[in-house]
Amino acid sequence: MSTDNLLFAKTHEWVKVEEADGAKIATVGISAHAIEALNDLVYLELPEVGKEVTAGESFGEIESVKAVSDIYAPVTGEVVEANTALPDNLDSLHDDAYVNGWIAKIKITDDSALGGLMDKAGYEKMCQEEG
């Protein structure tokens, strides 16, 4: 998948927004940059379907052999689907973070947070500045 149409949060989540049945659905995952930085992944906690999430708040966790990191909701809404195959196949995050590595799909109830997300170029610049 091309990352050109994705949006990125400062906390390294990616978002793809699509229209479905008159609603905006955000597919959310963790950027390849963050996955590479975490390295050896051992555990992933997915958000529960039906959970109300708020942009900027933790809605899951990912753990590597060296760190535990929160996964932050980049949008506000309701989790309508979680990638339940992912916790048993964390290698798919390394293989393709932007196709099979999605974490959850969120039905957006307030799209104001979308304005605070970065495009691919902005995200890449931020990652370079972080070192």
Side-chain angles (χ1 to χ4, degrees):
M1 169 197 296
S2 168
T3 56
D4 293 342
N5 61 343
L6 301 180
L7 298 172
F8 294 86
K10 290 178 183 175
T11 50
H12 302 285
E13 293 81 16
W14 59 264
V15 179
K16 180 179 181 185
V17 179
E18 299 173 293
E19 295 280 335
D21 299 324
K24 286 184 181 177
I25 304 294
T27 301
V28 177
I30 302 167
S31 75
H33 174 82
I35 304 262
E36 195 174 300
L38 286 167
N39 201 2
D40 295 323
L41 301 176
V42 295
Y43 175 75
L44 173 67
E45 177 189 294
L46 296 171
E48 291 182 28
V49 171
K51 179 178 181 163
E52 296 289 330
V53 297
T54 302
E57 293 185 2
S58 175
F59 79 126
E61 278 186 352
I62 189 159
E63 185 176 336
S64 72
V65 293
K66 60 182 181 178
V68 176
S69 297
D70 285 318
I71 303 169
Y72 295 95
V75 296
T76 297
E78 178 186 351
V79 176
V80 294
E81 188 176 351
N83 188 350
T84 56
L86 201 53
D88 293 330
N89 187 17
L90 292 175
D91 288 341
S92 63
L93 283 170
H94 286 288
D95 296 341
D96 195 339
Y98 303 108
V99 176
N100 298 321
W102 61 275
I103 303 293
K105 295 187 180 193
I106 301 170
K107 182 178 179 181
I108 299 172
T109 56
D110 177 356
D111 65 2
S112 62
L114 292 173
L117 300 176
M118 296 172 271
D119 63 9
K120 179 182 176 182
Y123 179 70
E124 288 175 347
K125 181 179 180 193
M126 182 194 82
C127 291
Q128 287 174 347
E129 289 171 355
E130 286 182 349

